[in-house]
Amino acid sequence: MKITGKVIRYGDNVDTDVIIPARYLNTSNPKELAAHCMEDLDPTFVKRVKAGDIMVGGVNFGCGSSREHAPIVIKESGIACVVAKSFARIFYRNAINIGLPIVEFSGEIDEGDKLEIDFDNGVIRNLSKNTQGDFPPFPGFLQKIIGKGGLFPAMEELK
Amino acid sequence: MQMTMSQKILAAHAGRKSVSPGELVMANLDLVLGNDITAPVAINEYRKAGASCVFDCKKIALVMDHFTPNKDIKAAEQTKKVREFAAEKKIENFFDVGTMGIEHALLPERGLVVAGDLVIGADSHTCTYGALGAFSTGVGSTDMAVGMAHGKGWFKVPRAMKFNLHGSLPKWVSGKDVILHIIGKIGVDGALYKSMEFTGPGVSSLSMDDRLCICNMAIEAGAKNGIFPVDDATRKYMSEHSKKTPVEFSADPDADYDEVMDIDLSSLRSTVAFPHLPSNTRTFDDMPVVPIDQVVIGSCTNGRLSDLQVAARILKGRKVNPKVRTIIFPATQKIYLDALRQGLLEIFVEAGAAVSTPTCGPCLGGHMGILAKGERAVATTNRNFVGRMGHPESEVYLASPEVAAASAITGVITDPATL
């Protein structure tokens, strides 16, 4: 799989409370929730995000609450992949379990850059900066979950 | 293969003699937890997957604690969805208004977790039960749904950090100060993906409530779990609360730790985490004058009986500052009743504080104490992220019940030792 998209960039420690504030968690409807994605950090996000955009963060992306609503709203907003220097562990597993592509990558990326991500070969190309770098592929166990489209369908094989 | 305490519990539940850090294993679960925010998403997934029976109706706990008593119509619809699911699947441990408490105070109190258990919960503070010598960790709703259907979960075997505790805590300093001190030192991702294993001669000086509070906030350092060894205090607590049979694990003497940190408990001071990260800590040696608008005493971190007792000791015969809205949340119905019988609630009301039924409410900006723009709260809760308790331009200062009670009286962040 290969995707190309424009970068929406945030800093370190983007927490799940700013990704989707708890005051909106009185529903589990992804569309209703996505209307408030990133609201407390970037009120312009929902207006400017386009399907296929790539969200980029620094270290410890998705820290805080276990709410799966966080990767759900990012996916529902049309974000094709989240790239961060590191992910908080619950966000990491939630993203895999629901089929939101995520990549750990430390290279330099700026707001508005155009990225090409080649998942099969583990390569990120920054088309705006004309640079590229590698990222480690997921272990086989996790690739099975991703390949089956989520944890539930993968369980027959994994258990 | 020498293993940490956490690795041994994972190995036992994965049917393995040993496991290595970084390895991915599928393991059998002793308990699967969800609440009124995360369970509805899990139930959607469960139904979508066409799963029928739950793996064990005794090993699932559903606790309606976040937006209950229902804060609005949508919240009421969510709890209704969980209530109907619990009835349909004959879930034994379904806790609704009247029996519910804040999940991480309730489950140990009800004896649903004991030493050696492997527990997942769709709530990040599920790491609390490490205080009992269990491996427990927060996951998302899909993990919860799969856990309910199959009784299994996937785990990346964590590396570990060791915290060697010595001495005992000074007066007015408690478990909250220990964990805030540690997070201040190592940062909010200082233990990312790792186990935080607490050990050493200082452990025996910590009460079970202190240990529950410390493990509760392991996630705020990014940890997968926090865990204490089992000692006489743990055994006493378990025998008083549970009919389950505990299994005691202990770390191998030469287990591998990425880092060993020595902590002299007697050197610790009252510690406050400033906005907007739990790692942004200060002690009173370096404290500006911070006027406050609200104090919250409660939550899965500090809503237990000993927290209320120490707050009552400080508030007894005093009045809260008229500018400070002070709200106290006993974490469970049992704690509420004990506090009532011990006269603590009377002390709170006479001091001018409000006492609420158990709820997570204000901790996550849900209800029952939301902050307006520019307002500041001292809270015994666990997170002070942007917008956590209300308006994105409000501020939360995390502290112990001792500091929170003292600050309620003076109206500024206050060292309880100076009152």
Side-chain angles (χ1 to χ4, degrees):
Chain A
M1 188 172 82
K2 204 186 265 189
I3 60 161
T4 307
K6 207 173 121 191
V7 168
I8 297 180
R9 187 179 180 278
Y10 300 109
D12 291 341
N13 301 312
V14 172
D15 63 75
T16 55
D17 275 284
V18 295
I19 296 172
I20 178 69
R23 58 185 177 274
Y24 300 120
L25 299 184
N26 54 3
T27 174
S28 55
N29 179 315
K31 277 203 169 51
E32 274 182 66
L33 288 161
H36 304 288
C37 185
M38 308 307 291
E39 188 174 292
D40 284 0
L41 181 65
D42 175 10
T44 69
F45 172 81
V46 290
K47 287 179 208 120
R48 65 196 177 100
V49 65
K50 300 219 164 43
D53 283 353
I54 294 169
M55 189 180 283
V56 174
V59 299
N60 204 24
F61 187 95
C63 63
S65 151
S66 69
R67 63 190 70 155
E68 200 160 292
H69 314 67
I72 288 173
V73 293
I74 291 174
K75 192 178 174 190
E76 186 68 25
S77 301
I79 292 289
C81 179
V82 183
V83 178
K85 288 179 182 164
S86 65
F87 289 93
R89 54 161 288 275
I90 306 179
F91 185 92
Y92 181 89
R93 66 185 295 134
N94 285 347
I96 288 166
N97 287 343
I98 69 157
L100 170 69
I102 54 172
V103 167
E104 273 187 343
F105 180 73
S106 296
E108 198 193 330
I109 304 172
D110 288 316
E111 173 77 29
D113 281 357
K114 202 170 176 192
L115 298 186
E116 181 190 84
I117 305 177
D118 178 346
F119 290 94
D120 299 327
N121 295 304
V123 178
I124 288 194
R125 288 184 193 88
N126 189 328
L127 304 176
S128 308
K129 292 192 166 41
N130 218 1
T131 55
Q132 72 170 55
D134 301 332
F135 61 89
F138 285 113
F141 186 97
L142 299 186
Q143 276 178 8
K144 271 186 199 151
I145 298 176
I146 296 161
K148 291 275 181 186
L151 182 58
F152 241 123
M155 274 309 278
E156 284 311 315
E157 219 168 294
L158 295 173
K159 70 181 182 181
Chain B
M1 174 72 204
Q2 299 293 311
M3 289 188 286
T4 65
M5 186 174 173
S6 307
Q7 289 162 358
K8 280 190 179 176
I9 298 175
L10 271 184
H13 287 78
R16 300 265 300 271
K17 278 207 178 91
S18 71
V19 291
S20 311
E23 201 181 340
L24 288 155
V25 296
M26 192 58 84
N28 294 315
L29 304 170
D30 295 305
L31 190 72
V32 178
L33 162 73
N35 58 49
D36 52 311
I37 285 180
T38 57
V41 178
I43 292 166
N44 292 350
E45 288 304 306
Y46 194 94
R47 300 224 190 268
K48 222 192 294 171
S52 52
C53 299
V54 295
F55 86 108
D56 188 334
C57 61
K58 293 183 177 65
K59 293 184 176 176
I60 295 168
L62 299 171
V63 187
M64 305 299 94
D65 58 358
H66 276 60
F67 289 167
T68 55
N70 299 327
K71 82 178 179 101
D72 54 25
I73 294 168
K74 284 181 174 178
E77 296 293 341
Q78 298 227 101
T79 53
K80 189 175 168 205
K81 179 186 277 199
V82 183
R83 194 175 299 119
E84 287 170 353
F85 180 84
E88 179 191 320
K89 304 296 179 197
K90 300 187 171 50
I91 307 290
E92 281 191 9
N93 297 301
F94 172 68
F95 300 100
D96 209 338
V97 172
T99 58
M100 72 85 172
I102 298 175
E103 51 198 339
H104 309 307
L106 186 70
L107 266 49
E109 180 190 286
R110 290 275 180 156
L112 294 176
V113 185
V114 291
D117 279 352
L118 177 60
V119 180
I120 61 167
D123 187 279
S124 60
H125 295 106
T126 303
C127 50
T128 307
Y129 320 129
L132 299 166
F135 186 114
S136 62
T137 190
V139 297
S141 295
T142 297
D143 282 308
M144 180 198 167
V146 168
M148 289 197 295
H150 297 284
K152 286 173 185 288
W154 66 269
F155 299 89
K156 183 172 162 189
V157 178
R159 307 184 67 81
M161 292 171 82
K162 179 149 91 174
F163 297 87
N164 212 357
L165 311 179
H166 308 269
S168 57
L169 293 169
K171 198 178 177 191
W172 305 124
V173 178
S174 59
K176 183 62 158 285
D177 302 299
V178 177
I179 191 65
L180 286 177
H181 169 79
I182 290 173
I183 297 167
K185 289 272 176 217
I186 68 174
V188 289
D189 61 352
L192 195 59
Y193 295 106
K194 295 177 186 177
S195 301
M196 295 171 80
E197 298 208 343
F198 301 94
T199 184
V203 167
S204 61
S205 73
L206 295 171
S207 69
M208 288 312 296
D209 284 1
D210 282 328
R211 299 180 203 184
L212 288 159
C213 169
I214 292 169
C215 285
N216 174 271
M217 287 188 71
I219 179 69
E220 309 316 332
K224 184 165 195 138
N225 68 315
I227 198 163
F228 273 86
V230 177
D231 66 4
D232 287 344
T234 332
R235 291 181 199 107
K236 181 167 181 282
Y237 183 94
M238 291 189 293
S239 69
E240 286 170 358
H241 292 87
S242 186
K243 291 192 178 74
K244 289 175 67 174
T245 311
V247 183
E248 296 184 15
F249 289 86
S250 53
D252 287 323
D254 46 2
D256 186 33
Y257 294 94
D258 285 355
E259 202 177 322
V260 179
M261 206 171 153
D262 278 294
I263 295 171
D264 177 6
L265 297 174
S266 60
S267 73
L268 298 188
R269 298 288 174 262
S270 293
T271 303
V272 178
F274 276 46
H276 290 285
L277 284 176
S279 56
N280 194 11
T281 56
R282 288 181 188 223
T283 62
F284 285 90
D285 297 334
D286 172 32
M287 188 70 65
V289 176
V290 183
I292 54 169
D293 305 284
Q294 180 166 295
V295 162
V296 170
I297 298 175
S299 84
C300 59
T301 316
N302 282 120
R304 297 183 182 81
L305 190 62
S306 61
D307 301 314
L308 304 186
Q309 285 168 332
V310 75
R313 212 172 301 143
I314 292 168
L315 289 168
K316 190 173 184 178
R318 294 184 165 117
K319 292 280 181 200
V320 303
N321 187 295
K323 288 184 180 158
V324 181
R325 309 177 303 262
T326 303
I327 318 170
I328 299 176
F329 297 82
T332 67
Q333 290 286 87
K334 181 174 186 310
I335 294 167
Y336 193 104
L337 193 56
D338 287 345
L340 179 74
R341 286 176 176 153
Q342 292 181 13
L344 310 182
L345 304 190
E346 193 177 331
I347 292 169
F348 298 146
V349 174
E350 284 193 338
V355 180
S356 161
T357 189
T359 180
C360 306
C363 170
L364 72 164
H367 64 151
M368 297 291 290
I370 304 302
L371 300 174
K373 183 176 176 176
E375 286 190 330
R376 292 194 193 103
V378 171
T380 67
T381 55
N382 42 52
R383 290 198 176 118
N384 55 356
F385 298 149
V386 169
R388 177 71 181 180
M389 199 175 275
H391 194 280
E393 289 174 43
S394 62
E395 294 181 347
V396 177
Y397 295 74
L398 303 175
S400 66
E402 291 87 341
V403 170
S407 306
I409 294 164
T410 61
V412 296
I413 296 178
T414 297
D415 181 354
T418 61
L419 273 186

